[in-house]
Amino acid sequence: GTPLTMHSSWRNNAKLTQADAGVMLHEAVCKALQTAAVCDQLNIGELASMEILARSIQMTQCRWKERILGASSSTHQDEAFLFLGSDPTRGNLCIAPSLN
């Protein structure tokens, strides 16, 4: 998928609105990543500036992860799917383990 598709899935799964903190920034950064990759044809995986943008997305998703996980989930095993993207309904968060 694309960064904007990921944004939509994340927002829907977390039941967030445009008014929630960080949601508009998350969408703008996803749009910037998608534009850089598709329109500008940049190899975004090799650019440090794009990594900074991706970490911004991760931090916003980390802020709202309880909306998807539930407040009681806190073990490493419970959160493994966040990093692996292995669960079809919960794998839409993009959080680097080092940011936790």
Side-chain angles (χ1 to χ4, degrees):
T2 67
L4 286 174
T5 302
M6 187 265 310
H7 167 75
S8 295
S9 296
W10 167 74
R11 189 175 149 199
N12 288 335
N13 288 337
K15 297 176 179 64
L16 297 170
T17 68
Q18 284 292 107
D20 290 317
V23 173
M24 289 178 62
L25 177 62
H26 187 275
E27 182 177 20
V29 173
C30 286
K31 189 173 201 171
L33 286 174
Q34 186 165 322
T35 301
V38 177
C39 297
D40 298 335
Q41 298 288 301
L42 297 176
N43 184 0
I44 62 173
E46 297 292 326
L47 298 173
S49 58
M50 296 297 119
E51 182 176 349
I52 292 169
L53 293 177
R55 287 177 184 257
S56 170
I57 291 170
Q58 292 172 333
M59 288 187 299
T60 301
Q61 291 181 345
C62 187
R63 177 181 184 169
W64 292 103
K65 71 180 180 180
E66 285 78 21
R67 287 278 188 109
I68 294 173
L69 292 175
S72 64
S73 180
S74 63
T75 67
H76 174 71
Q77 186 71 358
D78 288 340
E79 295 181 357
F81 64 85
L82 292 176
F83 307 107
L84 301 174
S86 58
D87 187 284
T89 61
R90 294 183 174 183
N92 293 314
L93 296 179
C94 179
I95 303 171
S98 61
L99 294 177
N100 275 335

